[in-house]
Amino acid sequence: MGKLSHLDDHGRAKMVDVSDKDITNRIAVARVTIHMRTETLALILDDKIEKGDVFSVARVAGIMAAKKTSELIPMCHPLNLTSVEIDLTPVENPARVEIEARVRVSGKTGVEMEAMTAVSVAGLTIYDMCKAVDREMSIGEIRLVKKSGGKSGTFIRKE
Amino acid sequence: MGKLSHLDDHGRAKMVDVSDKDITNRIAVARVTIHMRTETLALILDDKIEKGDVFSVARVAGIMAAKKTSELIPMCHPLNLTSVEIDLTPVENPARVEIEARVRVSGKTGVEMEAMTAVSVAGLTIYDMCKAVDREMSIGEIRLVKKSGGKSGTFIRKE
Amino acid sequence: MGKLSHLDDHGRAKMVDVSDKDITNRIAVARVTIHMRTETLALILDDKIEKGDVFSVARVAGIMAAKKTSELIPMCHPLNLTSVEIDLTPVENPARVEIEARVRVSGKTGVEMEAMTAVSVAGLTIYDMCKAVDREMSIGEIRLVKKSGGKSGTFIRKE
Amino acid sequence: MGKLSHLDDHGRAKMVDVSDKDITNRIAVARVTIHMRTETLALILDDKIEKGDVFSVARVAGIMAAKKTSELIPMCHPLNLTSVEIDLTPVENPARVEIEARVRVSGKTGVEMEAMTAVSVAGLTIYDMCKAVDREMSIGEIRLVKKSGGKSGTFIRKE
Amino acid sequence: MGKLSHLDDHGRAKMVDVSDKDITNRIAVARVTIHMRTETLALILDDKIEKGDVFSVARVAGIMAAKKTSELIPMCHPLNLTSVEIDLTPVENPARVEIEARVRVSGKTGVEMEAMTAVSVAGLTIYDMCKAVDREMSIGEIRLVKKSGGKSGTFIRKE
Amino acid sequence: MGKLSHLDDHGRAKMVDVSDKDITNRIAVARVTIHMRTETLALILDDKIEKGDVFSVARVAGIMAAKKTSELIPMCHPLNLTSVEIDLTPVENPARVEIEARVRVSGKTGVEMEAMTAVSVAGLTIYDMCKAVDREMSIGEIRLVKKSGGKSGTFIRKE
């Protein structure tokens, strides 16, 4: 472990200089789990079977958030994302929703933060739409599960 | 448990009508924990003792994100926040950073989502600034810990 | 007809001063029609029956755009919208989608532009999602159909 | 007609993957017509002759909106636009303003939505600045008139 | 002189809590001077006499920036501005443009930053539109000239 | 001196067409000076020695503003910045803070406006955080000090 790349020699924040990095295809995958009461999941699923709106709204929110990442995370580079996909999977015992985002770019730096921001905001959106019936829901373990492209090679999280 | 308030009778998403609600002082407090390796926390703390920049940047990111909540969460109402404060606390064994956001408003609806968005983005910012040395960091258990003001009364999460 | 209120005595643009206006409940309703080929509507409806995603995405886009109105329309006042609802109705012969937005606020100025922006962006979103199969779709007659609250009284468009 | 490219095999919205498309010069041209009363057009023109502010403000709004397209249209890719031009032409009998936007990019996907968003917001801005004297104005037939560059070839709308 | 109100007792940044302040009418006026070569001003004025576009674009940019202030200045409170007006005055010997912004709000905190942001961005816009002919232009002495409303009373800068 | 490049032959604003320009590495450096009372600088420095928050917040604000430039300056092209660095230097006699921003991009047009926007917003942020103790602070002489890359060659301001 060396030093934090977003700090200069005096410990001051900077946006890392990627001017001389190569443009390559880069992919990142992130996941989050939303924990909730069994009844809350049932309400979402009941709706989902018919109209799917809670999941649809969360998916749109996540995709739009991925595009806003560099506005939210101060040292992130703006990037022209070429693909964002979000999956939401309901799981029982215990009741939860698993969210996975896959983001791609052809650029000079990776899209880990975009994938992590996408699942975070998708998760917050589910919380928002269900909070009136279940304030104790929690959004847990936002994590990077895969990253490829770029000089540092492929990363796959052990889960 | 009744129904999801953000869906109309046909299951379609809407922004809940709060036109006729009272303007009251509302507070929400949310927390998140960022899990990391001991060495990562040491790097942050080493910096913190001198300049505090990782925590400073995360705090600014969280405050600015609180103000962006209604742009991120589709069904959230825009609100004129009157106060946002964010605390970051390093904790060892296991190594982690605890983040707490307290948000206030004088308005017709609560600020739970603003507090939760603030801690999420502060956490993502720490991840971003440290990811080059520790990709396995995770952001866990984003949760509402307190809420007061408004018709539904005071909520305090059991922790 | 007097003069344009957004221009000062020298014809220069300004944001109209509403400081001394009363805070009242204000409502605006706007509509737009998206014209398309019969096959295009069939594709949307086929999807709609199962998942509703084209309409869901357009609805979310319209609601989020209503909140962005003062960022888009230079002389618009920022407002804390209290309600946004969007209906999308497929109609045949000729094939089209009718979109209606109803926006409410408790504020010093009306929400006509918010309702019109909402239907415009919802319509553009439908165009975007279907343009690969039907580039000749058009978005027509964005219009204010109703407005109430405020000093100028109630307006209802003759249709 | 096959299927909607913005939906996956389960009918769920996604941002289409353009990672492997070529970077080419792409152009799109869109138009809209704003219908108004003869007196309203006279007021705009009277101002225009002297100061041009209604048209100037609408032009700036349209150019800035083109740059915001990927924030408004959920499945749009962010793009670094290389040119945006907007023409506003007053026409009499019946009184109207014709708006045309030409947008260029050197990128992996086209700029149809940017051109259509530009004319929509320019049109909404004219409505906003004149609505106090003419609420019945309407914004009609937002349409793509030309598109070139990219694998699908040149499209010219028959008008 | 006591302490900086945007820092807590540990020197950490926070958004000052204005929850308990009164809603009053508040006004702020700010000014900036853009210094340029005589020929540059002549080019702007030549255009201004005919179309006024440099000044029109700068005015729109300033008004829109006033509304974006809380997105730019981290500790600023979001506010629903009720009025923004911007004057641009060309002055010779030495050649310069004087910009003044007047911003009003009915709210719990003042609009000094909104007025100062408005003149800054209007000035930057003039620089942008003229930089190809005069890179040595400078934007100088952004300053608050007046402030009224609120508990701290009226401030008028001595000039 | 020829004509203003952001105006077409009729004096109307447009975003300059850079479609056919080369992608090159471009750098711009801008500076600003914030003038203040000796006591104000002492308060900032007192804080700086311990926590650095005023300068940290201003630095983050400047970096984030650089990324927002094309949203603020109407005719600016959106660009994927590859590096932003901001230095803040306290100077005594007379008391002031010097701010310098260095911005880099690999793109078709330069980043002068990004560097100038960064120092402006960093300066405004210092004003905001200190205005309660010193309303007479001023932000002066925002200026481009260096620019390189691109067809017009290297520019260095004589200071």
Side-chain angles (χ1 to χ4, degrees):
Chain A
M1 279 189 124
K3 55 190 286 292
L4 301 180
S5 54
H6 285 78
L7 300 182
D8 68 14
D9 292 342
H10 300 89
R12 294 178 300 220
K14 61 171 183 172
M15 192 193 288
V16 176
D17 191 349
V18 299
S19 308
D20 299 324
K21 291 176 105 177
D22 292 329
I23 292 176
T24 60
N25 279 323
R26 295 158 191 269
I27 301 178
V29 182
R31 282 194 200 131
V32 70
T33 309
I34 320 298
H35 308 281
M36 62 187 68
R37 288 157 59 189
T38 304
E39 298 89 331
T40 310
L41 185 60
L43 275 175
I44 296 175
L45 289 176
D46 179 53
D47 170 62
K48 186 177 147 52
I49 287 160
E50 291 178 24
K51 294 273 165 24
D53 242 22
V54 174
F55 280 11
S56 278
V57 176
R59 187 181 294 114
V60 174
I63 291 172
M64 295 180 88
K67 294 189 278 185
K68 269 186 160 344
T69 302
S70 70
E71 287 184 60
L72 293 169
I73 312 297
M75 304 302 144
C76 261
H77 299 83
L79 289 172
N80 291 349
L81 305 183
T82 51
S83 172
V84 183
E85 284 178 279
I86 295 184
D87 279 333
L88 297 106
T89 311
V91 189
E92 298 186 49
N93 298 314
R96 61 196 190 274
V97 176
E98 302 280 356
I99 307 179
E100 181 177 290
R102 287 177 303 287
V103 180
R104 298 187 66 181
V105 79
S106 172
K108 286 171 179 267
T109 185
V111 284
E112 299 98 303
M113 296 317 302
E114 283 74 9
M116 292 185 74
T117 300
V119 294
S120 302
V121 172
L124 289 166
T125 299
I126 289 183
Y127 186 91
D128 179 47
M129 295 185 78
C130 301
K131 69 180 188 294
V133 299
D134 186 0
R135 274 189 214 293
E136 311 251 354
M137 288 174 73
S138 70
I139 300 171
E141 297 309 305
I142 299 167
R143 60 209 186 269
L144 183 69
V145 296
K146 188 182 163 187
K147 169 195 182 314
S148 69
K151 213 174 60 179
S152 68
T154 297
F155 162 83
I156 295 177
R157 185 189 182 89
K158 289 166 229 96
E159 293 209 274
Chain B
M1 280 188 124
K3 57 189 284 292
L4 301 180
S5 54
H6 285 77
L7 302 181
D8 69 14
D9 292 342
H10 300 88
R12 294 176 302 217
K14 61 170 183 174
M15 192 193 290
V16 175
D17 190 350
V18 299
S19 308
D20 299 323
K21 290 176 107 177
D22 292 329
I23 292 176
T24 60
N25 278 323
R26 295 158 193 267
I27 300 179
V29 181
R31 283 195 199 131
V32 70
T33 309
I34 319 299
H35 308 282
M36 62 187 67
R37 288 157 58 189
T38 304
E39 298 89 332
T40 309
L41 184 60
L43 275 175
I44 295 175
L45 288 176
D46 179 53
D47 170 63
K48 184 175 148 54
I49 287 161
E50 292 177 24
K51 295 273 164 21
D53 241 21
V54 174
F55 281 11
S56 278
V57 177
R59 188 180 295 114
V60 174
I63 291 173
M64 294 181 87
K67 295 190 276 186
K68 269 186 161 338
T69 303
S70 70
E71 288 185 57
L72 293 169
I73 312 297
M75 303 301 145
C76 261
H77 299 83
L79 288 172
N80 292 348
L81 305 184
T82 52
S83 172
V84 183
E85 283 178 279
I86 296 184
D87 280 333
L88 297 106
T89 309
V91 190
E92 298 187 51
N93 297 315
R96 60 197 190 275
V97 176
E98 302 280 356
I99 307 177
E100 180 177 290
R102 288 177 302 288
V103 180
R104 299 187 65 181
V105 78
S106 172
K108 286 171 179 264
T109 184
V111 284
E112 299 98 303
M113 296 317 300
E114 283 75 8
M116 292 185 75
T117 300
V119 295
S120 302
V121 172
L124 289 166
T125 299
I126 289 182
Y127 185 91
D128 179 46
M129 294 186 77
C130 301
K131 69 181 189 293
V133 298
D134 187 0
R135 275 189 213 294
E136 311 251 355
M137 289 173 73
S138 70
I139 300 170
E141 297 309 306
I142 299 167
R143 59 209 187 270
L144 183 70
V145 295
K146 188 182 163 187
K147 169 195 184 311
S148 69
K151 214 174 59 179
S152 67
T154 297
F155 162 83
I156 295 177
R157 185 188 181 89
K158 291 167 226 93
E159 293 210 275
Chain C
M1 280 189 123
K3 56 189 285 290
L4 302 180
S5 54
H6 284 78
L7 300 181
D8 68 14
D9 292 342
H10 300 89
R12 293 177 302 219
K14 61 171 182 174
M15 192 194 290
V16 176
D17 190 350
V18 300
S19 308
D20 299 324
K21 291 176 106 177
D22 292 329
I23 292 176
T24 60
N25 279 323
R26 295 158 191 268
I27 300 178
V29 182
R31 282 194 199 132
V32 70
T33 309
I34 320 300
H35 308 281
M36 61 188 67
R37 289 157 58 189
T38 304
E39 298 88 330
T40 309
L41 184 61
L43 274 176
I44 295 175
L45 289 176
D46 178 53
D47 170 63
K48 187 176 145 52
I49 286 161
E50 292 179 24
K51 295 273 165 23
D53 243 21
V54 174
F55 280 11
S56 278
V57 176
R59 187 180 296 115
V60 174
I63 290 172
M64 295 181 87
K67 295 190 276 186
K68 267 187 160 342
T69 302
S70 70
E71 287 184 59
L72 293 169
I73 312 298
M75 304 301 146
C76 261
H77 299 83
L79 289 172
N80 292 349
L81 305 183
T82 51
S83 172
V84 183
E85 283 177 279
I86 296 184
D87 280 333
L88 297 106
T89 310
V91 189
E92 298 186 49
N93 298 314
R96 62 196 189 275
V97 175
E98 302 280 357
I99 307 179
E100 180 176 291
R102 287 178 303 287
V103 181
R104 299 187 65 182
V105 78
S106 171
K108 286 171 178 266
T109 185
V111 284
E112 299 98 302
M113 296 317 301
E114 283 74 8
M116 292 185 73
T117 300
V119 295
S120 302
V121 172
L124 288 165
T125 299
I126 290 183
Y127 186 91
D128 180 47
M129 296 186 77
C130 301
K131 69 180 188 294
V133 298
D134 186 0
R135 274 187 216 294
E136 311 250 354
M137 288 173 73
S138 70
I139 300 171
E141 297 308 306
I142 299 167
R143 58 207 188 272
L144 183 70
V145 296
K146 187 181 163 186
K147 169 195 182 314
S148 70
K151 213 174 62 178
S152 67
T154 297
F155 161 83
I156 295 177
R157 186 187 181 91
K158 291 168 224 96
E159 294 209 274
Chain D
M1 279 189 124
K3 56 189 285 292
L4 301 180
S5 54
H6 284 77
L7 301 182
D8 68 13
D9 293 342
H10 300 89
R12 295 177 300 219
K14 62 170 182 174
M15 191 193 289
V16 175
D17 191 348
V18 299
S19 308
D20 299 324
K21 291 176 107 177
D22 292 330
I23 292 176
T24 59
N25 279 323
R26 294 157 192 268
I27 300 178
V29 182
R31 283 194 199 131
V32 70
T33 309
I34 319 299
H35 307 282
M36 61 188 67
R37 289 155 59 189
T38 304
E39 298 90 330
T40 309
L41 185 60
L43 275 175
I44 295 176
L45 288 176
D46 179 53
D47 170 63
K48 187 177 144 51
I49 287 161
E50 291 178 23
K51 295 272 165 22
D53 243 21
V54 174
F55 280 11
S56 278
V57 177
R59 186 181 295 113
V60 174
I63 291 172
M64 294 181 86
K67 295 190 277 187
K68 269 187 160 340
T69 302
S70 70
E71 288 183 60
L72 293 168
I73 312 298
M75 303 302 145
C76 260
H77 299 83
L79 288 172
N80 291 349
L81 304 183
T82 52
S83 172
V84 183
E85 283 177 280
I86 296 185
D87 281 332
L88 297 106
T89 311
V91 190
E92 298 186 49
N93 298 314
R96 61 198 190 274
V97 176
E98 302 280 356
I99 307 179
E100 179 176 291
R102 287 177 303 288
V103 180
R104 299 186 66 182
V105 79
S106 171
K108 286 172 179 264
T109 185
V111 284
E112 299 99 302
M113 296 317 301
E114 283 74 8
M116 292 185 75
T117 300
V119 295
S120 302
V121 172
L124 288 165
T125 299
I126 290 182
Y127 185 91
D128 179 46
M129 295 186 77
C130 301
K131 69 180 189 293
V133 298
D134 186 0
R135 273 189 214 293
E136 311 250 354
M137 289 173 72
S138 70
I139 300 171
E141 297 309 307
I142 299 168
R143 59 210 187 271
L144 183 70
V145 297
K146 188 183 163 186
K147 168 196 183 312
S148 69
K151 213 173 62 179
S152 68
T154 297
F155 161 83
I156 294 177
R157 185 187 181 91
K158 291 166 224 99
E159 293 209 273
Chain E
M1 279 189 125
K3 55 189 287 289
L4 302 179
S5 54
H6 285 77
L7 301 182
D8 68 15
D9 293 341
H10 299 89
R12 295 177 301 218
K14 61 170 183 175
M15 193 193 287
V16 176
D17 190 348
V18 299
S19 307
D20 299 323
K21 290 176 107 179
D22 291 329
I23 292 176
T24 60
N25 278 324
R26 295 158 192 268
I27 301 179
V29 182
R31 283 194 199 130
V32 71
T33 309
I34 319 299
H35 308 282
M36 61 187 67
R37 288 156 60 190
T38 304
E39 298 90 330
T40 310
L41 185 60
L43 274 176
I44 296 175
L45 288 176
D46 179 54
D47 170 63
K48 186 176 147 55
I49 286 161
E50 291 178 22
K51 295 270 165 23
D53 242 22
V54 174
F55 280 12
S56 277
V57 176
R59 187 180 295 113
V60 174
I63 291 172
M64 294 181 87
K67 295 189 277 187
K68 268 186 161 342
T69 302
S70 70
E71 287 184 61
L72 293 168
I73 313 298
M75 303 302 144
C76 261
H77 299 84
L79 289 172
N80 292 349
L81 305 183
T82 51
S83 172
V84 183
E85 284 177 279
I86 296 184
D87 280 334
L88 297 107
T89 311
V91 189
E92 298 187 49
N93 298 314
R96 61 197 190 275
V97 175
E98 302 280 356
I99 308 179
E100 180 177 291
R102 286 177 304 288
V103 180
R104 299 186 65 182
V105 78
S106 172
K108 286 172 179 265
T109 185
V111 284
E112 299 98 303
M113 296 317 301
E114 283 74 8
M116 292 185 74
T117 300
V119 295
S120 303
V121 172
L124 289 166
T125 299
I126 289 182
Y127 185 91
D128 179 47
M129 295 185 77
C130 301
K131 70 180 189 292
V133 299
D134 186 359
R135 273 189 214 293
E136 311 250 354
M137 289 174 73
S138 70
I139 301 171
E141 297 308 306
I142 298 168
R143 59 210 187 269
L144 183 69
V145 296
K146 188 182 163 186
K147 168 195 182 313
S148 69
K151 213 173 60 178
S152 66
T154 297
F155 161 83
I156 296 178
R157 186 189 182 89
K158 290 167 227 93
E159 293 209 277
Chain F
M1 279 189 128
K3 56 190 286 290
L4 301 180
S5 54
H6 284 78
L7 301 181
D8 67 15
D9 293 341
H10 300 88
R12 293 177 302 220
K14 60 170 182 175
M15 192 194 289
V16 176
D17 191 348
V18 299
S19 308
D20 298 324
K21 291 176 108 177
D22 291 329
I23 292 175
T24 60
N25 279 323
R26 295 157 192 269
I27 300 179
V29 182
R31 284 195 198 129
V32 71
T33 309
I34 319 299
H35 308 282
M36 62 188 66
R37 289 157 59 189
T38 304
E39 298 89 331
T40 309
L41 185 60
L43 275 176
I44 295 176
L45 288 176
D46 179 54
D47 170 62
K48 185 176 147 52
I49 286 161
E50 291 177 25
K51 295 272 165 20
D53 243 21
V54 174
F55 280 11
S56 277
V57 176
R59 187 180 296 114
V60 174
I63 291 172
M64 295 180 87
K67 294 190 277 185
K68 270 185 157 346
T69 302
S70 70
E71 287 183 59
L72 293 169
I73 312 299
M75 303 302 145
C76 262
H77 299 83
L79 289 171
N80 292 349
L81 304 183
T82 52
S83 173
V84 183
E85 284 177 279
I86 295 184
D87 280 333
L88 297 106
T89 311
V91 190
E92 298 186 48
N93 299 312
R96 61 196 189 276
V97 176
E98 302 280 357
I99 308 179
E100 180 176 292
R102 288 177 304 288
V103 181
R104 299 186 66 182
V105 78
S106 172
K108 286 170 178 265
T109 185
V111 285
E112 300 98 303
M113 296 317 301
E114 283 75 7
M116 292 185 74
T117 300
V119 295
S120 302
V121 172
L124 289 165
T125 299
I126 289 182
Y127 186 91
D128 180 45
M129 295 186 77
C130 301
K131 69 180 190 293
V133 299
D134 187 359
R135 275 189 213 294
E136 311 251 355
M137 291 173 71
S138 70
I139 300 170
E141 298 308 307
I142 299 168
R143 58 208 189 272
L144 184 69
V145 297
K146 188 182 164 187
K147 168 195 183 314
S148 70
K151 215 173 60 179
S152 67
T154 296
F155 161 83
I156 295 178
R157 185 188 182 90
K158 291 167 225 97
E159 293 210 277

